[in-house]
Amino acid sequence: MPTPRDRQARIATFVAYAVQGLSFATLLTQVANLQNKHHLSEGSLTLLLLIVPVFAGIGSVAAGTFASHKGSKPLLRAAQPAVAAGVVLAGLAPDVALLVVALLLFGLAVGAVDAGINMQGVAVERRYGRAVLNGFHCVWSVFSLAGALWASAAASLDLAVIMSVPMLLAVAGSVYAGPRLCTIQEEKVESTQAVAGRFPWKPIIPLCLAMGFLYVGDAAVSNFSTVFMQDVLNAGAGVVPLGYAAYQATTLAVRLGGDLAVRRYGPAAIVRIGGAIATLGFLGIVFAPSQPLAIVAFGLTGVGLSVVAPQSFSAAGRLDPAGTGVAIARVNLFNYVGFIIGAALVGGIADAADMRVAFAAPLVLAAAIIVLARGFEPAVKARA
């Protein structure tokens, strides 16, 4: 049975995920406004935006090293306010030089926080003794959506105000959650297995690949769904965003019930089914003859891909018997690797061929997730 302390840590972890979702959305929804403010070309904007995933990867790796010695609690107490500071600084930046500094800070901190919140989520899941990680990712999605709705409602305000107001809430949330998160002693677990030397890569390779393939698909939908709807299917302005909206809506809906499904059917089965549904979704995009069917297909990709990230982190936690957080940080790194590759791969194929052919790349990688699902079996089963 969970103790009152376990429940306190779970609530704090919910808040930490909420803060991250809000912070991430607050920056991403203002990319176009930042481009206009600083008179950036498409090429210059692309190079600037690459700062975030590249340095987030560095931040994630550094977080694994730090947390293995000090735990993820002090990491989050420092890094979450730094994420908020990066967002505010980006909104206030009077020139490109300061914007670069803001994006560097945001990237490093957001990578550390992504790793840290999932370390906390796995620690809470371990203490509860049942699947709870999907719930945390669901809260991330809810507050990411809230950040986007705020950006829409406040569109007439000054850019600095739009980006600063949510960060007041973010800092307040991180200040509340910080003292209540799991300590390093609570993150560590007793294990009969000796853990010496460096954490091995081999057991987490399927998880890393699945995470990378997931984010190739996510990058394809996030970056090119509107282009697909507009250029391939000739959608009007009101219909163009609906493919991405369907993707986000189904992602949130599935995560609401994801933990119950994992408890009933097991993580490997859920990831295998998710990979199959995502493959069907991308197949639907490639061959979509009409706008409504394309929107449905984008929604199917959200259904399938939404289960992969929570189960990747959960499985990484099971494969780390000492609870060091190193495995989680390494899996998290492939979040950024996949996103960078996905944007370049799909964009490159679209330039060389066409957008329908470009979506065949995430289709193939989504199918590969079905094969990788075996690596998501609980550690006790995998080692039996």
Side-chain angles (χ1 to χ4, degrees):
M1 283 289 293
T3 66
R5 170 64 190 128
D6 293 335
R7 287 189 285 272
Q8 181 189 56
R10 188 182 186 187
I11 292 171
T13 304
F14 273 126
V15 174
Y17 273 84
V19 167
Q20 184 73 335
L22 179 64
S23 302
F24 200 73
T26 300
L27 179 67
L28 289 191
T29 55
Q30 299 308 316
V31 168
N33 285 334
L34 290 170
Q35 180 182 21
N36 294 334
K37 177 181 177 179
H38 297 286
H39 309 290
L40 298 169
S41 67
E42 294 294 339
S44 297
L45 179 66
T46 300
L47 289 175
L48 280 178
L49 292 180
L50 280 175
I51 290 173
V52 174
V54 169
F55 279 84
I58 296 171
S60 181
V61 173
T65 301
F66 179 91
S68 66
H69 296 96
K70 302 292 185 180
S72 59
K73 178 177 178 177
L75 172 73
L76 287 173
R77 297 188 73 174
Q80 280 213 303
V83 170
V87 174
V88 173
L89 187 60
L92 293 172
D95 52 43
V96 174
L98 194 55
L99 178 60
V100 169
V101 173
L103 294 177
L104 284 171
L105 174 62
F106 179 83
L108 284 169
V110 86
V113 172
D114 276 346
I117 58 176
N118 284 295
M119 292 174 196
Q120 286 287 321
V122 167
V124 171
E125 184 171 80
R126 186 182 288 127
R127 295 176 70 83
Y128 267 67
R130 64 176 188 268
V132 299
L133 208 57
N134 274 290
F136 295 132
H137 284 259
C138 178
V139 167
W140 188 99
S141 296
V142 168
F143 276 81
S144 180
L145 178 60
L149 293 175
W150 158 256
S152 176
S156 62
L157 300 178
D158 182 76
L159 180 60
V161 174
I162 296 173
M163 299 183 73
S164 297
V165 170
M167 294 305 95
L168 296 175
L169 182 61
V171 171
S174 62
V175 169
Y176 166 83
R180 297 168 175 82
L181 295 169
C182 289
T183 65
I184 187 170
Q185 292 79 16
E186 291 168 328
E187 287 186 83
K188 303 294 183 183
V189 295
E190 295 295 330
S191 176
T192 59
Q193 298 174 359
V195 180
R198 295 185 176 184
F199 189 91
W201 275 95
K202 185 176 180 180
I204 63 169
I205 286 176
L207 314 180
C208 293
L209 291 175
M211 179 70 85
F213 295 165
L214 149 67
Y215 276 99
V216 168
D218 183 80
V221 176
S222 299
N223 291 320
F224 299 107
S225 61
T226 54
V227 177
F228 182 92
M229 294 296 295
Q230 177 180 278
D231 295 350
V232 177
L233 296 177
N234 301 312
V239 178
V240 163
L242 295 184
Y244 184 69
Y247 174 76
Q248 289 293 348
T250 55
T251 294
L252 174 58
V254 170
R255 285 177 174 173
L256 282 170
D259 288 326
L260 294 176
V262 171
R263 291 170 201 167
R264 180 166 183 178
Y265 300 108
I270 293 302
V271 171
R272 191 173 292 113
I273 293 169
I277 294 174
T279 302
L280 181 62
F282 282 117
L283 187 67
I285 294 169
V286 171
F287 292 103
S290 65
Q291 296 168 18
L293 289 177
I295 292 168
V296 171
F298 279 113
L300 283 175
T301 65
V303 172
L305 295 179
S306 63
V307 301
V308 179
Q311 296 317 306
S312 295
F313 290 121
S314 182
R318 291 192 298 271
L319 290 170
D320 182 4
T324 66
V326 173
I328 293 171
R330 288 181 179 176
V331 169
N332 186 60
L333 171 63
F334 282 77
N335 168 346
Y336 314 113
V337 172
F339 200 88
I340 292 169
I341 292 175
L345 180 64
V346 175
I349 295 174
D351 286 339
D354 62 56
M355 190 58 69
R356 285 190 187 273
V357 175
F359 271 94
L363 186 161
V364 172
L365 296 179
I369 292 174
I370 302 171
V371 179
L372 294 168
R374 182 182 301 177
F376 288 75
E377 291 289 357
V380 292
K381 293 183 180 180
R383 294 172 183 171

